[in-house]
Amino acid sequence: MLKAERHKYIMTKLVEEQKVVTTDLALALDLSEDTIRRDLNELDSKKLLEKVYGGAVQVKEKSADVFDIHISGEEEKKQIVTKALSLLHDDQVIIMSGGSTNLVFAKLIPSDLKATIYTYSLPIAMQLSQHPNIDLIFIGGKMQKNAMVTIGMDVIQVVSKIKADICFIGASSINIKQGLTEVGYEVSMVKKAMIEASDKVVSMFSSNKLNTKMPHVVCDLNQLDTIVTNL
């Protein structure tokens, strides 16, 4: 198969599934994983996809207005997070991680809910700042610009002192053996602190993240009380 044909196949799979896995592509195309990695590197250099550990994901569209955040697959994510709204109750103390699914969740929190919400995600803090009955605490620290979340020991120290009823934690990847895993080490450490600080742990994510893995472990599956997806 010519390189142009391989690239076309990869981009088609990416549009269909929002991500591609190196081992799956190698098997489907009957090629070595090294060849697939070179193809992904080349497509990444052309900004046609974003190479990540074990494969690649779609390039996130950036809005010219930082307050108008593009969310890919927003309708699907609304279907997922709507299932979790029943977990919310008045007077809860809540921690929310970053991520587009949690951002959609923040948009759908009922306007009459009275709760305290901690977050280190700037987009989620911006969204919740419009909520009439939420006491919002934004956890400051070093900003990870691509995800617009704060990271580092300052964040971990604040989170470790919170006594939360529930946390809503985003997932980059999840599988039976490794559990919940993350692309970045620093984000994985903040999420570990979230779990330790919370009585109940909820993770919401699209089903295409099932049976995938990233390099940094957040927690085992038995540390998650509730998983919400679109199956």
Side-chain angles (χ1 to χ4, degrees):
M1 180 181 285
L2 297 173
K3 181 164 62 172
E5 294 175 317
R6 296 199 306 269
H7 287 189
K8 183 178 179 181
Y9 177 87
I10 291 169
M11 294 307 300
T12 299
K13 293 294 288 184
L14 196 59
V15 169
E16 291 173 352
E17 302 178 8
Q18 288 78 58
K19 67 177 181 64
V20 290
V21 178
T22 304
T23 52
D24 293 346
L25 290 171
L27 188 63
L29 297 175
D30 194 23
L31 294 167
S32 71
E33 290 184 29
D34 284 340
T35 299
I36 298 300
R37 288 191 193 97
R38 286 194 294 271
D39 285 340
L40 295 180
N41 283 331
E42 185 174 338
L43 291 167
D44 180 87
S45 68
K46 295 177 179 177
K47 301 189 184 304
L48 296 174
L49 52 72
E50 181 181 350
K51 195 171 185 304
V52 297
Y53 181 82
V57 296
Q58 287 182 310
V59 175
K60 295 177 181 176
E61 296 180 32
K62 293 184 178 179
S63 170
D65 183 353
V66 296
F67 295 101
D68 181 19
I69 298 170
H70 172 80
I71 301 174
S72 63
E74 184 167 2
E75 289 305 313
E76 178 188 65
K77 288 169 183 173
K78 283 181 181 178
Q79 294 172 11
I80 296 168
V81 303
T82 299
K83 300 177 184 180
L85 291 174
S86 63
L87 299 172
L88 296 173
H89 306 290
D90 281 345
D91 303 318
Q92 282 177 319
V93 176
I94 301 165
I95 316 176
M96 292 183 67
S97 77
S100 58
T101 303
N102 274 1
L103 178 56
V104 173
F105 185 61
K107 290 183 176 184
L108 296 184
I109 292 175
S111 60
D112 60 346
L113 181 76
K114 297 177 181 178
T116 299
I117 300 183
Y118 290 82
T119 187
Y120 53 93
S121 164
L122 183 56
I124 288 174
M126 289 160 49
Q127 179 63 43
L128 293 176
S129 69
Q130 307 301 309
H131 197 290
N133 296 306
I134 295 294
D135 286 332
L136 172 66
I137 297 95
F138 177 65
I139 304 170
K142 176 185 175 183
M143 180 65 69
Q144 189 180 75
K145 294 179 182 178
N146 62 331
M148 289 195 286
V149 296
T150 53
I151 53 175
M153 284 307 301
D154 290 341
V155 178
I156 291 171
Q157 286 175 359
V158 172
V159 171
S160 66
K161 294 175 182 177
I162 298 169
K163 302 298 181 185
D165 298 299
I166 190 169
C167 74
F168 293 92
I169 192 166
S172 290
S173 301
I174 189 166
N175 67 62
I176 291 173
K177 289 184 178 180
Q178 285 81 21
L180 201 69
T181 56
E182 267 296 330
V183 178
Y185 172 74
E186 290 181 299
V187 170
S188 74
M189 295 305 294
V190 175
K191 289 185 175 181
K192 284 177 187 286
M194 280 181 61
I195 292 168
E196 290 295 321
S198 305
D199 290 338
K200 186 171 185 177
V201 183
V202 179
S203 188
M204 302 180 290
F205 52 84
S206 302
S207 60
N208 61 10
K209 295 183 179 180
L210 289 167
N211 299 320
T212 63
K213 65 177 181 178
M214 294 296 173
H216 303 292
V217 174
V218 175
C219 68
D220 294 331
L221 286 186
N222 61 12
Q223 291 179 267
L224 302 176
D225 296 284
T226 305
I227 288 174
V228 187
T229 186
N230 53 322
L231 295 178

